Amino acid sequence: MSAEATNPEAHPEARPELRRRGRSRLDLRRLGRAALLGPTSRDRLPDAIGHVAEAHRAHHPDADMSILRRAYLLAESSHRGQMRKSGEPYITHPLAVTLILAELGAETTTLTASLLHDTVEDTDVTLDQVRAEFGDEVRFIVDGVTKVEKIDYGAAAEPETFRKMLVATGNDVRVMSIKLADRLHNMRTLGVMRPEKQARIAKVTRDVLIPLAERLGVQALKTELEDLVFAILHPEEYESTRALIAAHAGESDPLPGIADSVRTVLREAGIAAEVQVRPRHFVSVHRISRTRGELRGSDFGRILILVGENADCYAVLGELHTCFTPVVSEFKDFIASPKFNLYQSLHTAVATPEGYVAEVIVRTRQMHRVAEAGVVALGNPYATATPDATADPDEERVDPTRPGWLSRLLDWQQSAPDPDTFWTVLRAELAQDREITVFRADGGTLGLPAGASCIDAAYAQHGEAAHGCIGARVNGRLTSLSSPLSDGDTVQLLLAQDASSGPAAEWLDHARTPAARIAISSWLDAHPDRAMATTTAARAPLSVVGARGGGANAVADLPDATVRLAGCCTPVPPDAVAGFLVRGGAVTVHRVQCAAVAQMRAVGRTSVAVHWRATADCRVTLLAESFGRPHLLADLTEAIAREGVEVVSATVEPPVEGRVRHTYTLQLPDAAGLPALMRAMRDVPGVYDVSRA
């Protein structure tokens, strides 16, 4: 089933006026009649399932077909006498769903469960019977699909419906694969329902099931569902797009000629490759027509190049960019950086001498299989798990193919306070079409949606403990929590030791993940007074001046001169210092490394020799930079007092992006205690840097 080529013309049941090109579709009515004839002889498969077996053997030549035969016979006998609304025998539905999955390359266990997916719900067959006949794996999948089918799909129940669906399907992605194939067949035969019901089902399919198909990487299902939904919800735009494609069909198509040129280039380069022209599906044509305006012949499809090895992909890319004019802005490398849904390919575009621009996709055959079928192409994703005979089959499984978004959905759906909130954040989460990976300071990784901030990373790593996050280091540099993260960043999150710390209301402006937004909103709702306190307006700088002035402890070799320590570098013993005579006969003392020393000499200031007194006390100005939090000034002052240091003056600047700068002028009884004082100030929760002015 082709991702790019699939379009509503492939679904005569959905739109009778349309006909499929190429391989003829199966006649479901004929399959129904074959099903009613009952089982055939034991030495061959029933005719009705022969098409499924043929598609299955194409992907799995050594598969045991006897299991499918037994599953079909049980399904056929159980559903005998039941009819669909379209008039076909009901058995045609599980057959069609199973055929969809077989064409995608699903393994035998998934196909067996697909044949039986409605038996427990609609017939007298029990889960115990399924386990006895087909084993625990098939029973587990059928049970998951049954739980989904039992959900009320009424319009008012949609939010809770999909919460339950995620829980039911999250433990095994094969359950979700069957559900998607089930919805695809139902969408193909939706024409027998009332228009308002068609629209409701199409909207749910658009909002949740299509994004789920994208997340699972099942592009073949996703694109066909998109076109079917497009035809129902936007009939006028669909008809105009159909007319546009029909008009193009009567024109000369430049893509086959470009494909021939590409074949020649690759053949001369000695690269074995298969070159295809892949027509765009309806929604894709509609999208590019809105962005590009009038379409040219090369816009109605793309060139697909299939090779054997990863290295061949880059060899093909080099030949294309050498022999054609590349459109640099269109190049994307999804092999080195795969998309979140397992997708890998090289994307580029080249211009021909005739002025056409052709989009080109380069991938290996294995990449192509995964691009079309996603997780379905991976077979049984749990086959490598260590078997445990004592394990409860209903317990949650660790899915090795989906370590990111699916586990996050299962986690935050438990925290959603109500179905409406769940529905809103689910749609927002599924709307994210790209994922990034960031590295934690301890060596672990976090999977986050593109555009996520340090706030999202904090809640992904620490859960509710992230309420006390006061800052972050990204790639070793301090940054605000609102800073967005990029793929490959290393993030170290700084947590306050104060258990009463909480998030600020403005965090919601920078949180992208549902887990972060739900946790922040819940905390703010539970602490309305604290929430108000975090949104107060910025104040003017706060200054505190001590009662005692304190004198300088530097001596100048100039009788009766007033000596001042420079505020730009605040020298203290035993710093090497230099003095300069300034207006009024005063001598200013700088550290010799201070930039002002060179300036003084450049303007011809008189140099005066200075030295330190024998006394050890000194005055120094320190800058403390911190993340804003309640009681921070009090805690810093207390830390200074514990070191036996007197505060001469203090200035606190207004917060900027949650960060605060404190300037302290301090009188130390002994200059040797300065390093210990600075360490004590850095140890105050929230303070990330202390330096001399």
Side-chain angles (χ1 to χ4, degrees), residues 503-505 520-536:
I520 295 168
S521 298
S522 299
W523 189 93
L524 294 175
D525 290 342
H527 303 81
D529 296 338
R530 296 284 298 278
M532 290 293 294
T534 62
T535 58
T536 55

Side-chain angles (χ1 to χ4, degrees), residues 226-268:
E226 279 184 329
D227 284 347
L228 291 167
V229 167
F230 183 44
I232 293 171
L233 296 183
H234 305 283
E236 295 181 359
E237 294 179 347
Y238 169 80
E239 288 299 332
S240 64
T241 304
R242 187 172 68 87
L244 189 64
I245 294 174
H248 164 69
E251 300 175 353
S252 176
D253 189 349
L255 284 177
I258 298 173
D260 287 339
S261 299
V262 170
R263 290 189 189 96
T264 301
V265 167
L266 298 182
R267 183 170 57 251
E268 292 176 352

Side-chain angles (χ1 to χ4, degrees), residues 664-684:
Y664 294 94
T665 300
L666 306 171
Q667 189 71 29
L668 279 70
D670 189 340
L674 181 59
L677 170 64
M678 296 175 70
R679 283 195 299 270
M681 294 174 68
R682 289 193 189 100
D683 289 340
V684 174

Side-chain angles (χ1 to χ4, degrees), residues 107-180:
E107 38 82 48
T108 307
T109 301
T110 302
L111 299 185
T112 303
S114 177
L115 284 169
L116 301 171
H117 79 269
D118 279 334
T119 55
V120 175
E121 170 67 11
D122 296 332
T123 73
D124 294 332
V125 175
T126 66
L127 288 173
D128 289 338
Q129 286 179 267
V130 172
R131 176 191 280 124
E133 286 284 333
F134 304 101
D136 285 332
E137 284 291 303
V138 174
R139 180 261 180 202
F140 188 93
I141 300 172
V142 171
D143 186 32
V145 179
T146 301
K147 289 176 181 177
V148 175
E149 297 300 328
K150 287 182 178 179
I151 297 169
D152 177 14
Y153 276 79
E158 283 178 3
E160 191 61 26
T161 291
F162 284 95
R163 185 202 292 262
K164 292 177 181 176
M165 189 191 77
L166 282 175
V167 174
T169 63
N171 289 342
D172 195 315
V173 291
R174 292 174 293 181
V175 175
M176 203 174 290
S177 300
I178 294 174
K179 177 60 189 173
L180 289 171

Side-chain angles (χ1 to χ4, degrees), residues 8 10-16 25 28 84 93 96-97 100 179-193 195 197-207 209-210 221-234:
H11 319 307
E13 299 96 331
R15 299 187 64 83
R25 285 202 55 77
L28 295 181
R84 303 192 78 216
H93 172 65
V97 172
I100 290 170
K179 177 60 189 173
L180 289 171
D182 175 82
R183 175 54 63 95
L184 175 57
H185 182 243
N186 285 334
M187 289 292 295
R188 286 175 176 174
T189 58
L190 208 57
V192 299
M193 295 186 176
K197 190 168 185 180
Q198 290 184 39
R200 181 177 66 80
I201 294 175
K203 287 178 182 177
V204 174
T205 303
R206 175 196 64 193
D207 291 342
L209 290 177
I210 287 176
L221 300 188
K222 178 218 170 192
T223 52
E224 188 173 346
L225 285 171
E226 279 184 329
D227 284 347
L228 291 167
V229 167
F230 183 44
I232 293 171
L233 296 183
H234 305 283

Side-chain angles (χ1 to χ4, degrees), residues 452-488:
S453 66
C454 295
I455 294 172
D456 298 302
Y459 283 94
Q461 181 173 349
H462 297 292
E464 292 189 358
H467 292 331
C469 194
I470 56 177
R473 293 181 185 270
V474 177
N475 301 326
R477 302 188 65 178
L478 285 157
T479 187
S480 63
L481 287 173
S482 62
S483 299
L485 296 168
S486 300
D487 201 29

